[in-house]
Amino acid sequence: MANSKYEYVKSFELEDEVMLLIQLNLPNLILVRIDGRDFSRFSQVHEFEKPNDEAALNLLNSCSAAVLEEFPDIIFAYGYSDEYSFVFKKTSRFYQRRASKILSLVASFFAAVYVTKWKEFFPQRKLEYTPSFTSKVVSCASPEVLQAYLAWRQQDCHANNQYETCFWMLVKSGMTISEAQELLKDTQKQQKNELLFHKFGINYKTLPELFRQGSCLFKKKVEETVKHDENGNPVKRLRRKAVLVHSENIAARSFWNEHPSLYNDLGHFSKDIGRVEPDFVRSFQFENKLLPLTWVVVRIDGSHFHRFSDVHEFEKPNDEQALKLMNSCAVAVLQEFEDIHFGYGVSDEYSFVLKRESELYQRQSSKIISAIASLFTSTYVIKWGDFFPRKELKYPPSFDGRAVCYPTYKILLDYLAWRQVDCHINNQYNTCFWMLVKSGKTKTQSQDYLKGTQTREKNELLSSQFGIEYNTLPLIFRMGSSVLRSKEAVAVENGVVVSGKKLKREGEVVVDHCNIIERGFWEEHPHILSYS
């Protein structure tokens, strides 16, 4: 396919590879940590039991097990409360070790599974709003750094759980939140244990391991029945499966080195360690801050969406309901993040433009990318039934993302023009391709037939052979979709700008299908990007 004059904008995309090799030819271990986004509010709205909701923790563990099953390179995971850390094998080349891709994909898939499994753990409780997660990459230079990281997180689990147990017991006994906080201020571990025992008759060490120790998952060879022979006898095979365990010290040499799958894929722990200073581990966190006063574009793409569209039998070359579902998710993203002023989408991708002055997450690229990707994905799962009421969601979708800084208004508009030109090129080709396939040609024959053809020739093919005038096809297919906030009251239907319909108020997020390549659109709507 032909390239456009706007292709140069790709040069602004920077690689963010997590180092594979360091001194002595030792591999850096990749670790991704996800955290629930504003989960204090989420737990309140959904009335989670305090200080610990066992069903909520089991849901988190189930999602993490699904992550290990989905991504073979993830060997080990540890989590508590609303966070989980995932460790990749030392030889991993997953997504060429690109941090943005890895962290967004893990957060996205986790969010999708969380929504999918909600009813399994809360059958009588409605999911009131869309959950989302932020994530970051920690680059561990050696097994010793990983050991320190795991010790740090489990120590944090214990300290937080002990405090929260005391705090909520005091509140439930009649204290105000302020009184409970004041009573616990500067108390030590032993003092908290004595408070629980003497005031409430609770021996902290007898509380469930799930609460005190957190949960860890790792892959272990398990014998499973894969089929039955002709006589009805089970045929068993060994396969690596995620198993859930609780351990008092997941960073202990005795725990780690007794599991071959851990020390073979991640390395040995040579000695035990004591208390870890958080600043030591934080120094290894892989973080990128986006350049100030630049336009930030976060582009998300469906992961393996060719297979996803085939499994879910999307209409070819375009499934209008699938595109409208994508648009609905994009609307939700703009409604959630005020700093995002514009979105443009086509097929299984969406680009979101943050205002130049945005300080969202202090411009930390990992948090921005993962929050957008995970919110988009969980919304996709929640809204699936609205657009496909008679079609089951066979498995959770996922999206990977990246963030790119564009220094000038002109380059930003060239980026958006590039995506719309790409929309036209791909849609015209795919329309021709699938019409040829539906007419009886094989996919290979159709590809060969279209090889080297230009725009005019493709239009003539559609017109002469199939009676299709390309320029009369729906704008959503040819132009893609733009998501923006209206400057003034406009007529919309299902979020799409139309005429003669109900009015939406100023500032409402709407979807339009328009030419964003021509500068006239931006001159007529300067409020969208506020470039002055």
Side-chain angles (χ1 to χ4, degrees), residues 1-4 7 299 301 306 316-318 323 344-349 417-435 450 453-455 458-459 462 470 473 476-480:
M1 296 183 192
N3 294 330
S4 74
E7 291 272 335
R299 186 166 92 231
D301 293 272
H306 285 296
K316 304 293 186 181
N318 294 290
L323 294 174
Y344 176 75
V346 56
S347 185
D348 63 342
E349 76 167 57
W418 171 46
R419 300 320 304 143
Q420 190 163 56
V421 168
D422 202 55
C423 168
H424 161 68
I425 293 172
N426 289 336
N427 183 65
Q428 188 187 47
Y429 179 90
N430 288 332
T431 303
C432 293
F433 175 82
W434 285 106
M435 291 307 299
L450 292 171
T453 55
Q454 303 301 310
T455 295
K458 293 187 182 76
N459 283 344
L462 290 172
Y470 181 78
L473 292 177
I476 189 174
F477 303 157
R478 293 186 290 118
M479 294 285 192

Side-chain angles (χ1 to χ4, degrees), residues 166-185:
C166 292
F167 174 82
W168 285 105
M169 289 305 298
L170 290 169
V171 170
K172 289 176 182 180
S173 71
M175 278 192 179
T176 66
I177 288 177
S178 297
E179 289 171 340
Q181 290 171 336
E182 187 62 30
L183 180 65
L184 293 173
K185 189 176 181 181

Side-chain angles (χ1 to χ4, degrees), residues 364-383:
Q364 295 178 59
S365 62
S366 62
K367 287 194 172 183
I368 294 171
I369 296 167
S370 55
I372 292 173
S374 65
L375 179 69
F376 191 99
T377 311
S378 54
T379 304
Y380 194 100
V381 176
I382 287 175
K383 289 180 175 286

Side-chain angles (χ1 to χ4, degrees), residues 152-202:
W152 171 43
R153 297 323 301 149
Q154 191 165 45
Q155 289 165 7
D156 196 64
C157 167
H158 163 68
N160 286 343
N161 183 66
Q162 189 186 46
Y163 178 91
E164 291 294 313
T165 302
C166 292
F167 174 82
W168 285 105
M169 289 305 298
L170 290 169
V171 170
K172 289 176 182 180
S173 71
M175 278 192 179
T176 66
I177 288 177
S178 297
E179 289 171 340
Q181 290 171 336
E182 187 62 30
L183 180 65
L184 293 173
K185 189 176 181 181
D186 298 326
T187 54
Q188 302 302 309
K189 173 183 175 181
Q190 185 58 35
Q191 293 170 298
K192 293 187 183 76
N193 282 343
E194 290 175 358
L195 168 67
L196 287 173
F197 186 76
H198 292 300
K199 193 171 180 65
F200 303 107
I202 295 174

Side-chain angles (χ1 to χ4, degrees), residues 498-530:
V498 294
S499 59
K501 299 291 182 181
K502 61 183 179 179
L503 293 179
K504 286 261 185 173
R505 65 182 181 273
E506 179 181 349
E508 198 78 12
V509 179
V510 297
V511 180
D512 203 357
H513 312 292
C514 50
N515 186 338
I516 61 172
I517 298 173
E518 298 298 329
R519 293 299 193 262
F521 171 81
W522 302 103
E523 291 168 0
E524 292 173 14
H525 304 87
H527 73 280
I528 296 175
L529 298 179
S530 302

Side-chain angles (χ1 to χ4, degrees), residues 294-311:
T294 56
W295 298 98
V296 176
V297 175
V298 175
R299 186 166 92 231
I300 65 169
D301 293 272
S303 179
H304 303 297
F305 252 55
H306 285 296
R307 173 175 174 264
F308 186 86
S309 64
D310 288 343
V311 168

